[in-house]
Structures are given as structure tokens and as C-alpha cells.
Amino acid sequence: MLNVLFFKVIAGVCNGSSFLGFPTWYKYLEVQSVPIPDSLGTGSTCHVYINGFNDIWLIVAAVIEILLRLAVLVAVGFVIYGGIKYVTSQGEPDKMHEALKTIIDALVGLVIAIAASALIAFVAGKIH
């Protein structure tokens, strides 16, 4: 197999797990864990191989998945914000309506972001 390019990810974890459950940019690529000689003997680095043009699309898919997961967190934040607005509306119909609209819009965005993230993961998994 001809390797066009490889990146060394220092102190990276090759299994794809990352901070707060966000995927790594190389989630769908071929990776190899290489031990690093150090005093403790426990260090390793991750070599990420880019073998062709399809791998660029896999990187794009991973970045889109990261952004969609960020959108899910933002939508959850807006649901919480709308709930706080609803509780503090003190029965005023206009404020209650505005708070409910915020909650509904955030829930629609949440469903769209989750569905899009699942679709990206499915398609990238099939390409991989």
C-alpha cells in the first residue's frame, strides 16, 4: 500500500476517543500506535496515514461530525435557556410564548443535529 502522507499525532490516542466525547479529526483514517521510548516506557504516538483522495473526504466528515456534536451542545444550552426564561416569565403570556418558542426551536435544532451527525457517521463508516 502506497502511503501518500502521514501525520504524527503527539500524545494522541489512536482509538479515536477524545475530549468530551468529540471524535478526533482522524477518526475514520488508518492509524498506527508507535511506542515512544521514555523514562517510564508508557508513551506512544499515533501515526495517521492518508492514502488517497477519499481520505480527505473522511477528514472532512470527521470535522463535520465534530461541528454537529458542538451544535448538539449549543441546542441543549438553548433548551436550558428557554426553560429558565419560562420559569422566570411569572405567568406573563408574551414571555411564556417567547420561552416556549425558544424551547421548540432548540429541540428542532437538536433533532436535526443528532440526525445529521448519525448520517455523517454512517456514510463515513461505509466509505472507511
Side-chain angles (χ1 to χ4, degrees), residues 1-125:
M1 180 184 296
L2 176 64
N3 292 322
V4 175
L5 185 61
F6 84 93
F7 292 95
K8 190 184 279 189
V9 180
I10 304 297
V13 180
C14 286
N15 63 6
S17 64
S18 66
F19 182 67
L20 290 178
F22 285 99
T24 56
W25 63 269
Y26 53 88
K27 175 181 179 180
Y28 301 110
L29 298 176
E30 178 185 344
V31 293
Q32 179 182 11
S33 181
V34 178
I36 298 175
D38 61 0
S39 61
L40 298 175
T42 58
S44 69
T45 185
C46 213
H47 284 200
V48 179
Y49 295 95
I50 299 177
N51 297 318
F53 188 71
N54 268 356
D55 289 349
I56 300 300
W57 290 114
L58 293 173
I59 293 171
V60 169
V63 169
I64 290 172
E65 189 174 351
I66 292 168
L67 294 174
L68 286 170
R69 288 189 184 194
L70 184 63
V72 167
L73 290 177
V74 169
V76 168
F78 271 102
V79 169
I80 293 169
Y81 171 70
I84 291 171
K85 281 176 50 174
Y86 187 81
V87 169
T88 59
S89 67
Q90 298 178 355
E92 295 180 35
D94 291 339
K95 288 185 179 180
M96 287 175 58
H97 184 302
E98 183 180 330
L100 285 175
K101 185 174 179 337
T102 300
I103 293 171
I104 290 170
D105 290 346
L107 289 174
V108 168
L110 181 66
V111 169
I112 291 171
I114 289 172
S117 181
L119 180 66
I120 289 290
F122 176 75
V123 170

